[in-house]
Amino acid sequence: MRLFVVLALTCAVLFGRPALALDALPSWNDGAAKQAIIAFVARATAEDGREFVKPDDRIAVFDNDGTLWTEWPAYSQLFFALDRVKALAPQHPEWRKKQPFKAALENDFKTLAAGGEKNALRLVTATHAGNTPQEFQAIVAQWLATAIHPHFKRRYDELVYQPMLELLAYLRANGFKTYIVSGGGSEFIRAFGERVYGVPPDMVIGSTIVTKFVVKDGAPMLLREPKINFIDDKAGKPVGINEYLGRRPIAAFGNSDGDFEMLQWTTAGEGARFGLLIHHDDAQREAAYDRKSAVGRLNRGLDEAQARGWIVVSMKNDWKSVFPKPGP
Amino acid sequence: MRLFVVLALTCAVLFGRPALALDALPSWNDGAAKQAIIAFVARATAEDGREFVKPDDRIAVFDNDGTLWTEWPAYSQLFFALDRVKALAPQHPEWRKKQPFKAALENDFKTLAAGGEKNALRLVTATHAGNTPQEFQAIVAQWLATAIHPHFKRRYDELVYQPMLELLAYLRANGFKTYIVSGGGSEFIRAFGERVYGVPPDMVIGSTIVTKFVVKDGAPMLLREPKINFIDDKAGKPVGINEYLGRRPIAAFGNSDGDFEMLQWTTAGEGARFGLLIHHDDAQREAAYDRKSAVGRLNRGLDEAQARGWIVVSMKNDWKSVFPKPGP
């Protein structure tokens, strides 16, 4: 069976046809969203078609939080920062009396939330810096290997969306390059992007903190500083994509108004274009939130998706399963 | 003959052996530099060897000015900026009385040089902004198609180094990914990088000006602003490489102290490593400059190359030819 899949995908790449023969998207219910995805890939890869896109230009960009893995009830990177505050607390006795660290140490989410994005950024810069990118990635990897999500009671890297893993693989099998474009930190995502999503470090375009080149005891290295360099969110997403790639993607996948400009810019180009928003309407299997949510707010996107020709995926109706089945 | 080259390179890729059978570097004289390059590629690609590097990690970074094309007697991008000042002058009558524009319009290089890097940056920001990346690239492409270098009397994109074009192709044939890491502007280099060097837009890591996402008459676009965002030079080079790639290269090629930190960081990693500096000592065929030059100063690099195991290429002795033969 596995050999058959490989052969089918190989044929799809070699002959420029989407892998239709077998179902490359088994966790998607047959419906408008799945059909739209398959039809788009067929148009972009049909060499004799009007909308054929040469492989170099088959660039697909994916938001991460809420698009590839859960962001409910809070971003995983925020949970990581809170765990880091606790781990680093012995070296910072002053944190016991200083906000937002005090709230983090006491699991006082009310105070944390009241401080909004500013609090989150203070926690992130204080807990993500003072190391090299490699050291930081090792810390994240170590955390992912052990930390359990407070709501879903599973490892964070198991809370990825099975239908989206299939979509990533399906696009790649059809000659697309798949990038992650995230408000989350580049080095945070690089710690697991290749293993979990098949997206290597150089295909992660995320937020960054200032990094400095230093020579320490004769060894040249990069050192992460507690200062924001670039926030890859909202209007920053098209800017980040252009800075790294110098090309406009032809397909963009998101779930919140933080992805609006990325979809807007992507789908305004000529030829085959595709925009898709995941609507979290699945209180039973994951969560239901949209217009008024503090995480992943989706308001303008819901209003304008139809007029703009963007697909809105109902997690509840379009997805057969949400998370991968727990391993053995 | 051409088929034979393709076959040999294909074999090199398939069987992980460097393309030794035929000379992939015909414009390099047989000498220590050429031997060191071939020996390094052999070590990195020998699957049964101690220093084998898997293809994902075969990352080679190249400076552009003075390494891939001439920077003598001034950076080509500065000549472009001067030509742009003249082209835009009718819309800016005030420039006739305002420095550094007055000097640019009057070819007063003495005044321009006296203003140093600050003058150059003012000219660059004033002449590179107010357009989209695509519009800017079209302007550069148009300029390259017609402008003639004042000293060498050839098109700027013909003043590339033939031995380095061969080196780029040789490394790629051996599974390396070749990136340009330049103090020059990303969008400037993207205008010709793929055509001239075979380096696509997403493999150019250069300096950038601030770019903003705007919606104009309903059309989303990116607009270049007259403000520096990032200077990809000196200690900025390792920072830029890590930001874009999340990996440390294994080979770095430069020609000035602006490349020092890039070579230092690259060659300090473990396993097969390679650092190379081009020494412009060829007054007859190009130019002779190093420790005291205003462009491409090479001082510390000359002092420390030997102790650090970096190869210093003598343009005069190591290269059979400098520029490609003029076309028909």
Side-chain angles (χ1 to χ4, degrees):
Chain A
M1 179 61 190
R2 178 158 295 189
L3 179 67
F4 178 60
V5 175
V6 170
L7 283 176
L9 295 180
T10 305
C11 290
V13 172
L14 287 177
F15 302 111
R17 295 269 174 270
L20 279 171
L22 77 171
D23 189 356
L25 303 170
S27 301
W28 291 74
N29 282 315
D30 288 319
K34 182 174 180 171
Q35 282 165 21
I37 292 168
I38 291 171
F40 162 71
V41 171
R43 288 201 310 279
T45 56
E47 278 188 58
D48 47 0
R50 203 167 40 85
E51 296 195 274
F52 176 72
V53 180
K54 60 183 200 297
D56 275 355
D57 291 326
R58 289 183 208 159
I59 293 170
V61 285
F62 288 80
D63 169 57
N64 185 38
D65 295 306
T67 299
L68 296 179
W69 74 354
T70 195
E71 63 186 359
W72 185 261
Y75 301 119
S76 296
Q77 193 169 355
L78 186 57
F79 286 124
F80 166 77
L82 295 176
D83 285 351
R84 282 299 287 162
V85 168
K86 288 165 192 158
L88 293 170
Q91 296 150 248
H92 295 274
E94 75 280 10
W95 282 356
R96 267 179 289 166
K97 291 182 179 173
K98 197 175 162 189
Q99 294 296 10
F101 305 99
K102 183 171 182 288
L105 291 170
E106 294 168 356
N107 291 323
D108 174 4
F109 293 106
K110 207 172 145 189
T111 300
L112 280 177
E117 203 163 299
K118 210 177 133 195
N119 263 356
L121 283 181
R122 283 192 65 192
L123 290 177
V124 165
T125 50
T127 55
H128 285 52
N131 40 37
T132 70
Q134 285 63 41
E135 287 165 354
F136 178 70
Q137 285 185 28
I139 293 167
V140 175
Q142 172 65 25
W143 175 79
L144 280 174
T146 53
I148 296 298
H149 190 283
H151 180 74
F152 295 107
K153 311 292 182 200
R154 291 181 68 176
R155 280 172 52 145
Y156 288 86
D157 54 7
E158 292 178 337
L159 297 168
V160 296
Y161 303 131
Q162 177 62 28
M164 297 305 284
L165 296 181
E166 294 166 6
L167 180 54
L168 284 166
Y170 174 63
L171 288 173
R172 287 195 291 258
N174 281 288
F176 281 77
K177 280 173 280 189
T178 55
Y179 291 86
I180 292 175
V181 179
S182 172
S186 283
E187 305 294 4
F188 183 79
I189 298 166
R190 283 169 176 166
F192 62 94
E194 186 148 28
R195 175 175 59 83
V196 174
Y197 303 129
V199 175
D202 57 319
M203 298 177 88
V204 173
I205 304 171
S207 295
T208 51
I209 59 177
V210 171
T211 303
K212 281 254 162 81
F213 175 83
V214 295
V215 180
K216 222 167 136 181
D217 302 330
M221 60 180 70
L222 299 173
L223 210 57
R224 292 161 54 79
E225 302 208 325
K227 197 179 156 195
I228 295 294
N229 178 54
F230 177 62
I231 298 287
D232 194 17
D233 198 28
K234 303 190 175 79
K237 290 201 171 193
V239 172
I241 294 168
N242 178 70
E243 195 174 314
Y244 280 59
L245 305 187
R247 283 192 177 107
R248 196 195 294 225
I250 65 162
F253 302 84
N255 77 295
S256 80
D257 284 351
D259 305 313
F260 192 93
E261 288 85 351
M262 176 170 79
L263 267 76
Q264 187 181 14
W265 185 58
T266 298
T267 58
E270 291 186 6
R273 297 283 154 174
F274 196 76
L276 182 150
L277 288 168
I278 294 162
H279 187 197
H280 292 260
D281 59 357
D282 196 334
Q284 192 150 18
R285 294 185 300 178
E286 196 223 26
Y289 59 93
D290 47 36
R291 296 182 187 275
K292 290 177 179 169
S293 175
V295 290
R297 178 171 303 177
L298 179 63
N299 187 36
R300 190 178 169 198
L302 279 183
D303 287 339
E304 301 188 20
Q306 194 174 10
R308 292 180 179 275
W310 300 345
I311 305 298
V312 177
V313 166
S314 159
M315 183 178 272
K316 189 173 159 185
N317 299 319
D318 285 313
W319 286 2
K320 273 189 197 141
S321 60
V322 174
F323 303 122
K325 287 205 183 72
Chain B
M1 179 60 190
R2 177 159 297 187
L3 179 66
F4 178 61
V5 174
V6 170
L7 284 175
L9 295 181
T10 305
C11 291
V13 173
L14 288 177
F15 304 111
R17 294 270 174 270
L20 280 171
L22 77 171
D23 188 356
L25 302 171
S27 301
W28 291 73
N29 282 315
D30 288 318
K34 181 174 180 172
Q35 282 165 21
I37 292 168
I38 292 171
F40 162 72
V41 170
R43 289 200 309 279
T45 56
E47 279 187 56
D48 46 0
R50 201 167 41 85
E51 296 195 273
F52 176 72
V53 179
K54 59 183 200 296
D56 275 355
D57 291 325
R58 289 184 208 157
I59 292 171
V61 286
F62 288 80
D63 169 57
N64 184 39
D65 295 306
T67 299
L68 296 179
W69 75 354
T70 196
E71 63 185 0
W72 186 261
Y75 301 119
S76 297
Q77 194 169 355
L78 186 59
F79 285 124
F80 166 77
L82 295 177
D83 285 352
R84 282 299 288 162
V85 168
K86 286 165 191 158
L88 293 170
Q91 295 149 251
H92 294 275
E94 76 279 10
W95 282 356
R96 267 179 290 165
K97 291 183 181 174
K98 197 176 165 188
Q99 293 296 10
F101 304 99
K102 183 171 181 288
L105 290 171
E106 294 168 356
N107 291 323
D108 174 4
F109 293 105
K110 207 173 146 190
T111 301
L112 280 177
E117 205 164 298
K118 211 177 132 194
N119 263 357
L121 282 181
R122 282 191 66 191
L123 289 176
V124 165
T125 50
T127 55
H128 284 53
N131 39 37
T132 70
Q134 285 64 39
E135 286 164 354
F136 178 70
Q137 285 185 28
I139 292 167
V140 176
Q142 173 64 25
W143 175 79
L144 280 174
T146 52
I148 297 297
H149 190 283
H151 180 74
F152 296 106
K153 311 291 181 201
R154 290 181 68 177
R155 279 173 53 146
Y156 288 86
D157 54 5
E158 291 179 337
L159 297 167
V160 296
Y161 302 131
Q162 177 63 27
M164 296 306 283
L165 296 180
E166 294 166 7
L167 180 54
L168 284 167
Y170 174 63
L171 288 173
R172 288 195 291 258
N174 281 287
F176 281 77
K177 280 173 280 190
T178 55
Y179 291 85
I180 292 175
V181 179
S182 172
S186 284
E187 305 295 5
F188 183 79
I189 297 166
R190 282 170 175 165
F192 62 94
E194 187 149 27
R195 174 175 60 82
V196 174
Y197 302 130
V199 175
D202 57 320
M203 298 178 88
V204 173
I205 304 171
S207 294
T208 52
I209 59 177
V210 170
T211 303
K212 282 255 161 81
F213 175 84
V214 296
V215 180
K216 221 166 135 183
D217 302 330
M221 60 180 70
L222 297 173
L223 211 56
R224 291 162 54 81
E225 302 207 326
K227 198 180 157 194
I228 296 293
N229 178 54
F230 177 63
I231 298 288
D232 194 16
D233 198 26
K234 301 191 177 77
K237 290 201 171 192
V239 171
I241 294 167
N242 178 71
E243 195 173 315
Y244 281 59
L245 305 186
R247 283 190 177 110
R248 197 195 294 225
I250 65 163
F253 303 83
N255 75 296
S256 80
D257 285 351
D259 305 313
F260 192 94
E261 288 86 351
M262 176 169 81
L263 266 75
Q264 188 180 14
W265 185 59
T266 297
T267 58
E270 292 184 6
R273 298 281 154 177
F274 196 75
L276 183 150
L277 288 168
I278 294 162
H279 187 198
H280 292 260
D281 59 357
D282 196 335
Q284 192 150 17
R285 294 185 299 178
E286 196 223 26
Y289 59 94
D290 48 38
R291 296 182 188 274
K292 289 177 180 170
S293 176
V295 289
R297 178 171 305 177
L298 179 63
N299 187 36
R300 192 179 169 198
L302 279 183
D303 287 339
E304 301 188 21
Q306 195 174 10
R308 293 180 179 275
W310 300 344
I311 305 300
V312 177
V313 165
S314 159
M315 183 177 271
K316 189 173 158 185
N317 299 320
D318 285 314
W319 287 1
K320 274 190 198 143
S321 60
V322 174
F323 303 122
K325 288 206 180 74

